[in-house]
Amino acid sequence: MTNEEIRQAVIDILSDISPEEDLENLDDNTPFRDQLSLDSMDVMDIILELRKRYRVNIPEEDYGKLDTMTNTVAYLEPSLKEM
Amino acid sequence: MAQYISKYDIIVIGSGLAGMTAANTLAKSGHKVLLLEKHHKLGGLATWFRRQGGYVFDVSLHGFPVGMIKSCRRYWNAPIADRIVPLPRIVFDNPQFTLTTSFNREDFTRLLTQKFHLAEETVVEFFDTARAMSHTGDASMTTQQLFDRFFPGREDVIRLLMEPITYANGSTLEDPALTYGIVFSNFMSKGVYTFEGGTDLLIRLMQEELERNGVDIKVSADVTGISVENGEVRGVQTGKDLIRAKAVVSNTNLKGTIFHLVGREHFTPRFIETAEAVRLNNSSTQVYMGLKPGESINEDVCGDLLFCSAAPAFRTEMLLSRQITSRTFSFYYPKTRPGTENYAVVSSTNANYSDWADLPEAEYKASKEALIEDTLNALEKYVPGIRGKIGWLEAATPCTFQDYTSHWNGASFGTKYEGLAVSRELPEQIQGLFHTGSVGIIMSGWLGAVNYGFIVANNVDAFMLDQKGKN
Ligand SMILES: Cc1cc2nc3c(=O)[nH]c(=O)nc-3n(C[C@H](O)[C@H](O)[C@H](O)COP(=O)(O)OP(=O)(O)OC[C@H]3O[C@@H](n4cnc5c(N)ncnc54)[C@H](O)[C@@H]3O)c2cc1C
C-alpha cells in the first residue's frame, strides 16, 4: 500500500465508526481528538478494525502514537507497505 | 485423563453483559466462540423475572449513561441501540432538599447555582475537573478530597452529587476521585437512559445477534475449572466435559476466576498477594412491587427514579447498614414495556453481605419482612394507599444475589478500583486467560460491563493474531 492508500484506509475506518463526522476537512497534523468527537473507546475500535482488515497488531503501549493522521500513517507504513 | 470433547478458538465463561459483548465482538472478528452460562438464561445481573398474574420485574434496569447508545450500536446492532431512551425525571427527597432534575450538566449547573447558591465558576471548574479524569490518571485523591476542594462544608451539595453515584456503582467518598469523575461525567453528559421493552427484550435481541454471528451458546453449563498447563490455558471443565480452547475469557467474579477456577498455584506469589487484597464492592437488597391491574402511579410525583432518604446527611456506612433509610425507587410505567399496562416499583438499597449471610434462619426471615415493611412505609408518602394497590410483593437480599451470580459476597458492582489492574494483568500471568466483567468501579454497571467486554475482546483478538504468527 502507498501512504495515500494507508491514509484512505484509516479514513474508511473513521467514517464507519463515526459516520456523522466531517472527514473531508481533516487536518493531518492536528490530533484526531481535537477535531473529531472520538473517545477512548473509539480509538480501541480503530485498532480492532486495523487488525481485522489489515492484520496489523498494535500493542497497547503504542496506542498513543496514533494521535494524528500523519503519525498514524507513519506508524502503519512499515507493516502495510508490502500489502 | 479427561478427554477434550471439542475445540474452540475462544471460550467465554458467563453471559453477563461483558461476557456477551466479548463473545459477540470476537465472533464478528471471525473466531470460533463458545459461550457457557450456568443459568438457563443469558444476561447475568442484567436480568428479569416473571410472576403469576402477568407481573414482570427488572433487576438492574434502573438507568445507565447515554454512552450505552453508541456502545450498543457498535458492539451490538442498531435495533438494540435505537431502543435506548431517556428517563427524564429524577427526583430527590431528603431532609436537606427536595428537587426534580433531568440529571445532566445543564440542569445540575442551574440547581447548583440557583438552589444551592454556588458561584458559577466553581461549578464550571468542578464539572471540567471531573470530566478531565481518566483511568490512567492519579488515583491518590479521594472523592471526599475532590468535594472538599470545591464545596468545603457543603454536605447538601455532596449528597446531591454523590448519592446517585453510590447507588449506581457502590462507590464511596473514600474511593479514588477518578472513579467518581468518570462515572459522574458519563451521566452528566446527557442524563439517565433506559432500555424500552425491558431487560427481557434486550437479552433476546442480544442472543439473536450472538447466534447470527455464529457464537455457540450453552446454557445450564456450570464451569468448574479452567485448565492450565505450563502457564498456558488449555480449556475449561464443565460437568464431565473438558472443552479445549486457545483462549478463555472469564466473566465470572475476578476472585472466583483466580482462586476457584484456576487455582492459586498457577500464579506468582506476588500476583496472589495483590489479588487477595482486592476488595469486593457491596451487595444490594431489593423489594419488588407489582401493581394490581387498573392501579397506577402518579408520574409527576414519583418521576422515573426517586432517591429518597430520612437520614439527616449522607454517610457511606449508613447507606450499607440494615437500618438504612436511604433507598432508590425505580418506577416502571407502561412506557417501559409499550403495549402493556404494567406499573411496577423496585426499591434498591446497597447492603453488606455479612449483615445478611450470618443471620440465623428465623432472623433472616424477620429481617426480610422488616425490609419489606420499611420499604412500604417509605413508599406510602409518594404512592398513597400503596398497600392496597400491590398485587405482587417480594424481596431479594445479598444472599439472593450471591446465589444467582456466584459473585463472592453477592457483590453487585464487582470490585473496588484495585481490581482493574489485577484483571488486566491476568493474561501476563497465564497465557490465553482473560477476565472481563464489572471491576474497578469504572468498568461496572451496564455501560462499564459492555465497554470492558469490548476492550478485553480487543486484547484477545490481538493475542489470537500473535499466536497465528507463531505457528
Ligand atoms: C440490584 C442491582 C441493581 C443494578 N442496577 C444497575 C443499573 O441500574 N444500571 C447499571 O448500569 N448497572 C446496574 N447494576 C450493575 C450491573 O447490573 C452489573 O454491573 C452488570 O450487569 C454486570 O455485568 P457483568 O458482565 O460483570 O457480569 P454478571 O452480570 O455478573 O454476569 C456474570 C455471569 O457469569 C455467570 N457465571 C458465573 N460463574 C459461572 C460459571 N462458573 N460457569 C458458567 N457461568 C458462570 C453468571 O451466571 C452470570 O450470568 C445493578 C446491579 C445490581 C445487583
Side-chain angles (χ1 to χ4, degrees):
Chain A
M1 283 169 100
T2 64
N3 278 3
E4 194 39 49
E5 284 165 342
I6 296 175
R7 183 182 187 279
Q8 191 53 47
V10 177
I11 292 280
D12 289 347
I13 291 174
L14 285 173
S15 70
D16 285 349
I17 287 172
S18 249
E20 57 286 339
E21 219 68 73
D22 168 25
L23 296 168
E24 306 241 311
N25 295 314
L26 188 80
D27 174 13
D28 285 14
N29 296 314
T30 303
F32 293 124
R33 286 184 95 159
D34 293 351
Q35 29 182 350
L36 310 172
S37 58
L38 291 183
D39 56 30
S40 55
M41 295 305 293
D42 295 302
V43 175
M44 201 88 65
D45 241 358
I46 297 169
I47 310 275
L48 186 71
E49 284 303 319
L50 282 168
R51 194 158 55 231
K52 235 160 74 182
R53 297 181 193 188
Y54 306 101
R55 307 182 58 79
V56 274
N57 215 353
I58 302 164
E60 224 174 313
E61 56 272 22
D62 286 353
Y63 289 4
K65 295 182 185 162
L66 310 182
D67 55 345
T68 66
M69 182 59 94
T70 304
N71 292 343
T72 304
V73 173
Y75 183 90
L76 294 173
E77 193 192 338
S79 331
L80 293 184
K81 66 168 183 253
E82 303 297 332
M83 283 191 74
Chain B
M1 269 241 0
Q3 290 245 304
Y4 288 109
I5 55 156
S6 47
K7 221 172 145 175
Y8 285 87
D9 291 329
I10 299 141
I11 296 173
V12 178
I13 307 169
S15 68
L17 291 173
M20 284 197 291
T21 304
N24 199 46
T25 307
L26 289 164
K28 281 203 285 188
S29 296
H31 304 288
K32 196 178 169 207
V33 181
L34 172 65
L35 177 61
L36 296 172
E37 168 55 52
K38 72 172 187 157
H39 283 287
H40 60 89
K41 64 181 178 191
L42 306 185
L45 283 172
T47 198
W48 71 99
F49 58 92
R50 294 177 193 286
R51 291 293 182 256
Q52 218 170 9
Y55 296 102
V56 47
F57 298 100
D58 295 285
V59 170
S60 65
L61 181 59
H62 309 286
F64 43 73
V66 67
M68 191 73 178
I69 298 180
K70 199 163 150 192
S71 292
C72 283
R73 180 159 293 127
R74 298 243 296 279
Y75 317 140
W76 290 96
N77 56 36
I80 292 177
D82 292 345
R83 287 194 161 267
I84 296 174
V85 296
L87 286 177
R89 292 171 65 87
I90 313 301
V91 181
F92 288 77
D93 186 26
N94 61 57
Q96 284 165 305
F97 53 85
T98 298
L99 56 87
T100 299
T101 170
S102 47
F103 207 74
N104 52 28
R105 177 164 179 169
E106 196 188 356
D107 200 46
F108 258 47
T109 304
R110 173 187 68 86
L111 287 167
L112 289 169
T113 52
Q114 291 174 18
K115 195 172 159 80
F116 292 82
H117 307 293
L118 292 164
E120 174 128 19
E121 66 235 44
T122 311
V123 175
V124 169
E125 208 194 325
F126 171 74
F127 274 107
D128 289 345
T129 305
R131 221 184 98 79
M133 291 179 166
S134 88
H135 69 280
T136 50
D138 170 25
S140 65
M141 188 194 353
T142 66
T143 305
Q144 177 78 59
Q145 287 165 339
L146 173 74
F147 289 142
D148 286 347
R149 183 177 141 205
F150 287 97
F151 314 113
R154 290 299 299 269
E155 295 220 349
D156 52 344
V157 173
I158 294 176
R159 180 176 216 157
L160 174 70
L161 296 172
M162 190 64 197
E163 207 167 53
I165 304 304
T166 300
Y167 277 115
N169 62 22
S171 75
T172 68
L173 293 169
E174 295 75 35
D175 287 316
L178 66 87
T179 63
Y180 175 82
I182 291 171
V183 177
F184 178 71
S185 303
N186 283 345
F187 275 109
M188 280 295 128
S189 98
K190 287 248 168 69
V192 187
Y193 283 72
T194 190
F195 189 82
E196 188 184 88
T199 315
D200 40 341
L201 179 63
L202 171 70
I203 300 302
R204 196 181 84 214
L205 294 175
M206 286 184 165
Q207 179 157 0
E208 286 168 7
E209 180 68 22
L210 287 167
E211 285 163 358
R212 253 194 304 278
N213 292 318
V215 175
D216 280 352
I217 300 173
K218 245 177 109 174
V219 292
S220 306
D222 193 3
V223 173
T224 50
I226 296 173
S227 108
V228 173
E229 283 168 33
N230 306 324
E232 292 175 21
V233 84
R234 288 279 180 264
V236 309
Q237 179 89 44
T238 167
K240 286 197 228 67
D241 304 332
L242 202 47
I243 312 173
R244 202 174 170 112
K246 295 182 192 115
V248 169
V249 180
S250 174
N251 181 215
T252 69
N253 185 273
L254 178 64
K255 290 195 164 201
T257 302
I258 296 168
F259 296 108
H260 282 168
L261 294 184
V262 178
R264 62 175 66 225
E265 64 279 13
H266 293 286
F267 299 91
T268 62
R270 182 204 48 82
F271 181 81
I272 288 298
E273 203 177 304
T274 321
E276 268 171 341
V278 170
R279 294 161 301 159
L280 293 168
N281 232 320
N282 62 266
S283 188
S284 310
T285 71
Q286 288 191 316
V287 179
Y288 311 94
M289 294 156 277
L291 266 61
K292 288 179 197 158
E295 299 290 356
S296 64
I297 296 165
N298 185 342
E299 200 170 338
D300 293 334
V301 173
C302 298
D304 296 297
L305 270 176
L306 167 62
F307 296 100
C308 84
S309 173
F314 175 86
R315 294 277 179 279
T316 303
E317 59 297 348
M318 302 232 311
L319 276 183
L320 291 169
S321 93
R322 269 191 298 143
Q323 280 69 48
I324 195 164
T325 67
S326 303
R327 44 177 58 82
T328 316
F329 288 111
S330 274
F331 294 96
Y332 298 91
Y333 303 95
K335 68 177 181 183
T336 312
R337 286 185 175 74
T340 69
E341 282 304 314
N342 288 337
Y343 286 87
V345 189
V346 176
S347 161
S348 310
T349 64
N350 292 349
N352 282 321
Y353 178 73
S354 56
D355 284 351
W356 291 84
D358 303 341
L359 295 179
E361 195 174 325
E363 213 179 308
Y364 175 80
K365 274 205 177 121
S367 289
K368 217 167 153 174
E369 283 310 313
L371 167 68
I372 290 176
E373 280 309 304
D374 290 348
T375 305
L376 291 174
N377 288 339
L379 188 55
E380 179 69 28
K381 177 173 175 192
Y382 312 100
V383 187
I386 181 67
R387 282 186 166 77
K389 295 181 174 175
I390 286 180
W392 190 273
L393 181 62
E394 69 177 275
T397 74
C399 305
T400 324
F401 291 108
Q402 147 103 8
D403 284 346
Y404 191 78
T405 60
S406 313
H407 281 316
W408 287 23
N409 295 353
S412 299
F413 315 103
T415 72
K416 290 289 184 189
Y417 185 62
E418 64 273 12
L420 183 55
V422 172
S423 168
R424 310 269 298 155
E425 203 195 321
L426 213 53
E428 290 164 36
Q429 290 282 317
I430 293 173
Q431 210 186 313
L433 178 65
F434 298 82
H435 168 264
T436 192
S438 285
V439 78
I441 302 178
I442 54 175
M443 296 301 179
S444 80
W446 285 31
L447 177 62
V450 164
N451 284 350
Y452 197 42
F454 177 77
I455 291 171
V456 171
N458 192 40
N459 296 337
V460 177
D461 188 64
F463 168 76
M464 297 299 287
L465 183 62
D466 258 358
Q467 291 300 100
K468 274 216 180 104
K470 280 184 199 151
N471 292 338

